[in-house]
Amino acid sequence: LWKSRSGKILFVGSRSKETTEVRMIDLVSLTEKIKSSEAAVDVKGFLKMVSARDQGVIYKVDHEETFGHLIFLTNAWNKKEFTLCAAPVDKPSKDNWYEMEGFKYDESKYLLGAYCFKDFLVLSGRENGLTRIWILHLGLSASNVLEVVKSL
């Protein structure tokens, strides 16, 4: 159980060495419903599957608020190491994940964490055996695809 850095999504997940499954709750919608309802609110109705278990696929997720996307680190598509992906918040399943332009998969980069901030994304990891931090400025392409526009 963890809250996104934006504070707007609560994630509920389980993980093993071989697979991950995460569900999310839109805390803004839930709060609005609670405030407008006199009766108890069934939270289960607000749980939405991010991506169901897929044997061999592990992922980590956070919410990028500015452009309305989820950011993933995943080993999907038989990657040896994690790769950086995104998907719209309203279409979070693996079928909608895409690798982000400007920071493509590289086996020499071992990504450990993705941390979303208002105007940028921070990745932590290792490259060629050395600890690294990458600061990525994000933007939307003409086709509404989230991409890295500048990397520091």
Side-chain angles (χ1 to χ4, degrees), residues 76-141:
W77 311 293
N78 299 313
K79 302 286 188 192
K80 182 179 175 184
E81 303 295 349
F82 282 151
T83 188
L84 177 63
C85 297
V89 170
D90 60 344
K91 297 177 186 171
S93 71
K94 184 179 161 218
D95 295 339
N96 297 305
W97 296 359
Y98 56 87
E99 285 188 87
M100 293 177 63
E101 292 294 327
F103 200 87
K104 288 288 193 175
Y105 177 73
D106 180 348
E107 277 189 24
S108 71
K109 293 177 182 169
Y110 179 65
L111 303 178
L112 295 168
Y115 311 95
C116 297
F117 293 88
K118 183 176 180 188
D119 297 319
F120 57 94
L121 171 69
V122 175
L123 298 177
S124 64
R126 298 181 70 76
E127 183 176 29
N128 299 319
L130 300 173
T131 300
R132 287 287 314 265
I133 293 177
W134 296 271
I135 300 172
L136 310 176
H137 293 270
L138 306 176
L140 279 181
S141 70

Side-chain angles (χ1 to χ4, degrees), residues 22-25 44-50 89-92:
V22 176
R23 294 176 190 267
M24 65 183 190
I25 297 173
K44 288 186 221 173
F46 286 86
L47 273 172
K48 181 177 182 179
M49 179 68 71
V50 172
V89 170
D90 60 344
K91 297 177 186 171

Side-chain angles (χ1 to χ4, degrees), residues 58-71:
I58 297 170
Y59 64 92
K60 301 174 183 179
V61 61
D62 197 6
H63 176 230
E64 185 287 315
E65 181 179 5
T66 303
F67 300 107
H69 281 68
L70 295 178
I71 301 294

